[in-house]
Amino acid sequence: MPQEGKSDMERIGLFREMGYISIGDKYTSSYNRPFNESAQKSKQMMPGGTKVKSALQVGYFDSQYKRIFEKEAYSDPVKLRRQFRLQQSKKNMGKAFLPSNGEKKPSGLGSCYGTLSGPVAAMSALQVPKKPYKSPGKNILTNPLKMGTGYGYPNVTLSKQYPYTADPFDRAREIRKKEVAAHRSMLKGGAFRLNLYPKELFDTNPYKFDKPLPPVKKPEEKKKETQPFKPSSPAKKIGGMKSGTFDPYPSHSADLYIVKKPKFATTNKEGKIFHPSPGPKSMPVKSIITANVNK
């Protein structure tokens, strides 16, 4: 008989069973395992010590000191500077420019030496004629301050006391009445009214009904039946003769016994059952987090 389900190899997703690397070896944990075993066996590379820099060629990679320039001509920088200065002086059209005089420094306070204007001429000692002196007059004389706050005390402020003026209670109303009466006396007729007042409809409203409506008819009260409802006959129970159903017992129909043909599995030339090739299988993959932890 064919096997039901898939084998273990098909469920894992491998084409064949992988071989074992070691059998019966002792387990060594990752904590006790050395990081690099080859570094602890046989001879290792032994580098030399650091060299101290000195005037010799010992601390450099090259065995002989190499110059940047070899067999170059000697050049005097002072001589080259003088030759350049002579070449620049030949370009001058005349003699060298010399200022007329040097800068003058003042000799002290009140001295005009070194200024652009020069000395100032002396002024005459005579006085300029002035207008006769006129006294500005006496200051304003005021009375001493009056006692009181100003509220309820007469003659305390600078201005005089305000006179009493009568203020009737309905003064605004009377003034308004006079203005309305004067306005109506100036009118010649009634209010101006246009016939073009906007209406809801162009014509009269056809749905408007001016006649009074008839009285509302009261609905007739139906008499309620006080007798309880009784079915015609009690419900029948379903039995072997189907007496409680709406339809009678169905008549028996004779059916011929038909033997079902067995289904044969499709086989190849060798007589084996044909199994279709399975789809792509998944491979167990370790997580990146566990890989980093193992490292």
Side-chain angles (χ1 to χ4, degrees):
M1 292 181 67
Q3 296 180 359
E4 295 182 359
K6 295 181 180 180
S7 62
D8 295 339
M9 294 298 296
E10 289 182 353
R11 283 198 295 271
I12 293 172
L14 303 175
F15 292 101
R16 63 186 180 83
E17 187 175 1
M18 303 301 292
Y20 298 97
I21 299 171
S22 61
I23 300 174
D25 295 342
K26 292 183 179 180
Y27 173 74
T28 56
S29 63
S30 58
Y31 297 101
N32 300 328
R33 189 181 302 166
F35 177 71
N36 190 2
E37 294 181 0
S38 61
Q40 301 175 2
K41 297 177 181 179
S42 69
K43 293 183 179 182
Q44 306 297 326
M45 183 176 65
M46 301 295 290
T50 57
K51 296 180 181 180
V52 181
K53 187 176 180 181
S54 62
L56 302 176
Q57 199 66 19
V58 180
Y60 299 95
F61 293 100
D62 297 334
S63 60
Q64 187 179 1
Y65 179 74
K66 296 180 181 180
R67 295 184 60 185
I68 300 173
F69 297 103
E70 290 184 359
K71 298 180 182 180
E72 70 273 8
Y74 176 73
S75 59
D76 189 3
V78 180
K79 186 179 179 181
L80 293 173
R81 208 177 297 123
R82 287 175 181 173
Q83 289 177 358
F84 178 74
R85 203 179 298 128
L86 288 171
Q87 291 176 3
Q88 294 295 328
S89 63
K90 289 177 181 180
K91 296 179 181 180
N92 295 332
M93 300 297 293
K95 295 181 180 181
F97 173 75
L98 296 174
S100 59
N101 283 321
E103 184 182 358
K104 296 180 180 180
K105 297 182 180 179
S107 59
L109 296 174
S111 175
C112 299
Y113 180 76
T115 57
L116 299 174
S117 60
V120 181
M123 297 181 181
S124 63
L126 298 175
Q127 293 183 355
V128 181
K130 298 180 181 179
K131 294 181 181 179
Y133 176 76
K134 185 178 180 181
S135 62
K138 294 181 180 181
N139 294 330
I140 299 173
L141 301 176
T142 60
N143 292 330
L145 296 175
K146 296 180 180 180
M147 304 299 291
T149 58
Y151 297 99
Y153 292 87
N155 300 326
V156 174
T157 57
L158 298 175
S159 59
K160 295 181 179 180
Q161 188 178 1
Y162 293 102
Y164 174 76
T165 55
D167 186 13
F169 181 75
D170 294 338
R171 184 181 178 186
R173 185 179 178 186
E174 292 176 359
I175 292 170
R176 202 179 303 112
K177 280 184 179 181
K178 289 180 181 179
E179 290 177 355
V180 172
H183 174 69
R184 288 181 178 177
S185 63
M186 294 171 67
L187 297 176
K188 295 182 178 180
F192 179 70
R193 296 178 181 177
L194 291 173
N195 293 328
L196 300 175
Y197 181 75
K199 298 180 180 180
E200 295 179 358
L201 304 170
F202 292 103
D203 300 330
T204 57
N205 190 358
Y207 300 101
K208 191 175 182 180
F209 189 72
D210 297 333
K211 296 180 181 180
L213 297 173
V216 182
K217 294 181 180 180
K218 295 182 178 180
E220 297 180 357
E221 294 182 358
K222 295 181 180 180
K223 295 181 179 180
K224 296 181 180 179
E225 296 180 359
T226 57
Q227 295 179 0
F229 172 74
K230 293 181 179 181
S232 58
S233 60
K236 296 178 181 180
K237 295 181 179 180
I238 298 174
M241 64 291 193
K242 305 296 181 184
S243 60
T245 57
F246 292 100
D247 298 331
Y249 186 77
S251 59
H252 176 70
S253 58
D255 296 333
L256 296 176
Y257 178 73
I258 301 171
V259 180
K260 293 183 179 180
K261 295 180 180 181
K263 293 182 179 179
F264 296 100
T266 56
T267 57
N268 53 9
K269 295 179 180 180
E270 298 177 358
K272 294 181 180 180
I273 299 172
F274 172 73
H275 293 285
S277 59
K281 298 176 181 179
S282 60
M283 181 71 180
V285 180
K286 288 186 177 181
S287 176
I288 300 171
I289 298 172
T290 57
N292 292 333
V293 170
N294 293 336
K295 286 181 181 179

